[in-house]
Amino acid sequence: MSLAIRLAILYGTMFLFTGVYLPFFPVWLKAQGLDATEISLVVALSLFLRIVVSPFFASLADRIGDRRRVMVGLAWASLASAALLLAVEGFGLILLVALVLNAVFPSISPLVETIAMRARIDRGMNYGRVRLWGSITFILASSGVGWLLEWNPSSVIGFCLAGALALNVAGAWAMPRDAGTVRRPARRRSQFADVLQIGRHPVFVLFVLTASLTQATHAVYYAFGSLAWQKQGYADSVIGLLWATGVLAEIVLFYISGPLMARFGAVRLLMLAGVAAILRWTVTALSPPLAVLFVMQALHGLTFGAAHLGAVQFVAQAAPPRLAATAQSLYAAMASGVMMGLVTIAIGPVYKILGAHAYFVMAGGGALALAGVMFVALRWDGGLLIPEEEPEDGQAPEKQEGREEMQEGKNGH
């Protein structure tokens, strides 16, 4: 079995869980007796937890040089956490177990993305056609559980979560043993030093903020999109089709992503996402006719898909292999954790006042993200941001990089 097929299976099992968790975990929490405040606390704390935990596990994987082993361990820990959720009761215990689950499962994704992007660079694998299986299983899971809930109690959601994670364990084990292995650093460093080495580079920081803001422009859509469309008088079936249109557009973009990534590159893909965000959210804020709204939903392929492709490609090109998973996790933690969490919390009162016009704020976020990626384009030449080899003992990374640049100047390069 080829690495591409194994990765497609792994993406599929990961997003099978996500397709159950995102739409229906709050429903399960409500069925366990949690009120709205407690549910929001569980969800919000889970988002912010990722900024600390995901980089820790990614740095650990980079340090030991075996990302597959860490990935398999995280998959087993995720399954154990989901199984424990079926046994605990009460807000305190549910919150504790949910935090553990949301610490370990999201930490798998940066490791998988790192392996996939390395396969694209080293073996010419079509990343998008592998990744799209995640979007497909997301649709299958969300629609399938919705169908199950029509004739089953909400408790079935917990069993679906555990079942999806059991398949995820199998998907992780199916990865070849040499997948994600990297040469160990010659000199041992602390995990914090690994994170700091890439995380403090100004271009990387600007990229993380910019790409994360692009994803955070979906905050109104994710939190209040269905509610806004209900107020506009659309039936639930139509709202379901609108959501499906966005995911289908994402799948199409991933399918054709090979030539797009080669032609546009990381920065231009992020620019395209920013422009699409400005257009999509501005028009959506105006409550357009349904036909126009479907067109705007099709732009999800750009506002999410192009931004995601550009981001993972940037990390693959800008971070050396020994820190690739660490860099990928820093972006993932900021994009799906801190930035999305902050914007979602902040946009709640705005939506209460403005209703659908809150999408104008998201269009403004798209404009700010577009400006940020333009600065990235001016500061980044498409290569590594820090040296491939670790700096010599006692020498700071900046000094090592400066010495290499001086040497290049002497050689006339």
Side-chain angles (χ1 to χ4, degrees):
M1 190 184 301
S2 69
L3 178 60
I5 294 177
R6 293 171 190 263
L7 280 167
I9 293 172
L10 183 52
Y11 273 117
T13 59
M14 286 170 53
F15 282 88
L16 194 68
F17 170 80
T18 307
V20 179
Y21 181 88
L22 281 182
F24 299 112
F25 187 60
V27 178
W28 183 84
L29 292 174
K30 183 178 179 181
Q32 304 310 303
L34 275 65
D35 59 29
T37 302
E38 291 171 334
I39 292 173
S40 64
L41 187 60
V42 171
V43 174
L45 289 178
S46 299
L47 288 172
F48 289 111
L49 188 65
R50 298 177 187 179
I51 189 63
V52 176
V53 180
S54 289
F56 168 80
F57 284 116
S59 178
L60 175 64
D62 283 339
R63 280 174 55 79
I64 67 176
D66 190 348
R67 292 160 188 160
R68 178 189 178 276
R69 195 194 332 170
V70 175
M71 185 170 60
V72 169
L74 290 170
W76 274 111
S78 301
L79 176 58
S81 301
L84 194 57
L85 271 179
L86 299 176
V88 299
E89 295 180 356
F91 169 68
L93 288 177
I94 290 176
L95 173 62
L96 179 62
V97 178
L99 289 178
V100 174
L101 174 59
N102 281 280
V104 292
F105 179 77
S107 300
I108 299 173
S109 181
L111 303 178
V112 180
E113 296 283 15
T114 302
I115 295 172
M117 289 305 296
R118 200 73 249 161
R120 176 184 176 271
I121 294 172
D122 296 341
R123 309 186 186 190
M125 186 191 77
N126 190 316
Y127 168 83
R129 293 190 183 183
V130 169
R131 170 62 174 77
L132 67 83
W133 288 100
S135 301
I136 292 173
T137 56
F138 182 95
I139 294 177
L140 293 175
S142 58
S143 59
V145 174
W147 173 74
L148 283 176
L149 288 175
E150 291 184 2
W151 50 281
N152 280 286
S154 298
S155 58
V156 74
I157 297 171
F159 293 100
C160 290
L161 291 171
L165 287 174
L167 291 175
N168 185 236
V169 170
W173 270 106
M175 293 294 292
R177 294 193 175 275
D178 62 345
T181 56
V182 292
R183 180 178 58 82
R184 297 186 184 188
R187 181 171 55 89
R188 296 187 62 84
R189 297 161 55 88
S190 69
Q191 292 182 16
F192 179 75
D194 288 339
V195 173
L196 192 62
Q197 189 179 2
I198 184 67
R200 68 182 174 183
H201 195 288
V203 176
F204 184 79
V205 171
L206 181 59
F207 150 75
V208 167
L209 293 175
T210 296
S212 299
L213 180 58
T214 304
Q215 294 294 0
T217 64
H218 296 81
V220 173
Y221 172 57
Y222 290 155
F224 304 107
S226 296
L227 294 176
W229 290 331
Q230 285 177 343
K231 287 184 178 180
Q232 293 169 28
Y234 294 123
D236 289 341
S237 59
V238 173
I239 293 173
L241 288 174
L242 286 168
W243 278 87
T245 299
V247 180
L248 287 173
E250 173 188 322
I251 292 172
V252 170
L253 184 82
F254 285 145
Y255 185 80
I256 63 174
S257 65
L260 285 179
M261 295 175 79
R263 180 180 180 86
F264 286 91
V267 171
R268 289 181 182 176
L269 282 170
L270 286 168
M271 287 181 179
L272 187 60
V275 171
I278 296 170
L279 175 60
R280 181 186 183 186
W281 305 130
T282 298
V283 175
T284 303
L286 298 174
S287 301
L290 185 59
V292 177
L293 194 54
F294 270 107
V295 175
M296 293 302 102
Q297 281 299 97
L299 287 179
H300 188 75
L302 298 180
T303 58
F304 171 80
H308 176 78
L309 292 174
V312 295
Q313 183 170 351
F314 175 92
V315 172
Q317 293 178 221
R322 61 187 171 83
L323 296 177
T326 300
Q328 198 73 251
S329 70
L330 288 172
Y331 160 68
M334 179 61 73
S336 61
V338 174
M339 185 69 77
M340 182 64 78
L342 289 174
V343 174
T344 300
I345 291 172
I347 208 63
V350 176
Y351 177 80
K352 187 175 182 179
I353 297 171
L354 299 180
H357 288 165
Y359 280 113
F360 282 127
V361 179
M362 300 295 94
L368 188 60
L370 179 60
V373 76
M374 288 180 176
F375 277 108
V376 172
L378 293 175
R379 298 287 304 276
W380 183 53
D381 62 1
L384 295 176
L385 293 177
I386 59 177
E388 168 64 28
E389 297 298 327
E390 288 192 295
E392 297 173 2
D393 290 335
Q395 189 169 25
E398 293 88 346
K399 293 181 179 180
Q400 172 75 3
E401 187 175 7
R403 189 182 72 177
E404 292 179 356
E405 291 175 355
M406 290 177 61
Q407 184 64 38
E408 289 180 356
K410 292 177 181 179
N411 293 336
H413 294 148

